Amino acid sequence: VLSVGKFVTRGIHFAVNRSDIRPESAGILNEVAQLMKTHPILRFRIEGHTDSDGEADYNLSLSAKRADAVKTALIHLGVAENRLEAEGKGESIPISDNQSPEGKANNRRVEFIKL
């Protein structure tokens, strides 16, 4: 992340159609928090992404809520709020096709963009 400027996570999981972070996501959230504590100059924009199931407006709203939930979780883990931004992208930037279950799973992700 220090040289590339971003990283993509698929290990942050949410309840279906909700922004509640599932317990199995704790490991990756702790890793990100530790990374930020180790490198105090790091700042990130947290981007939430969805697959294309459902309405585009709903997916945009859901992805924003999920990005906010990740931001809140990192703040609770000791990361200063002013080092984080959150933004939902909905289904607008797929990285895989949305025709297969695997492709949809790849598109449901959280990206951390170095600011």
Side-chain angles (χ1 to χ4, degrees), residues 20-40:
D20 303 327
I21 299 174
R22 296 176 50 102
E24 63 267 22
S25 307
I28 188 70
L29 290 170
N30 283 317
E31 287 179 32
V32 173
Q34 188 57 48
L35 172 71
M36 295 191 77
K37 290 175 185 178
T38 302
H39 301 281

Side-chain angles (χ1 to χ4, degrees), residues 25 38 44 73 92 107 109:
S25 307
T38 302
F44 287 116
S92 66
N107 289 330
R109 68 196 186 278

Side-chain angles (χ1 to χ4, degrees), residues 29-105:
L29 290 170
N30 283 317
E31 287 179 32
V32 173
Q34 188 57 48
L35 172 71
M36 295 191 77
K37 290 175 185 178
T38 302
H39 301 281
I41 62 165
L42 275 180
R43 295 181 62 239
F44 287 116
R45 179 177 62 246
I46 303 161
E47 293 184 351
H49 297 268
T50 66
D51 61 32
S52 64
D53 286 351
E55 296 295 322
D57 288 344
Y58 176 79
N59 286 336
L60 182 60
S61 173
L62 178 62
S63 67
K65 290 175 185 174
R66 287 177 170 180
D68 283 335
V70 171
K71 178 181 174 181
T72 299
L74 291 172
I75 291 167
H76 285 260
L77 291 171
V79 177
E81 182 175 1
N82 66 352
R83 297 177 61 199
L84 300 166
E85 297 176 6
E87 183 177 349
K89 296 291 189 177
E91 61 189 66
S92 66
I93 310 173
I95 58 173
S96 294
D97 71 76
N98 274 300
Q99 305 308 311
S100 68
E102 297 81 14
K104 289 178 182 185

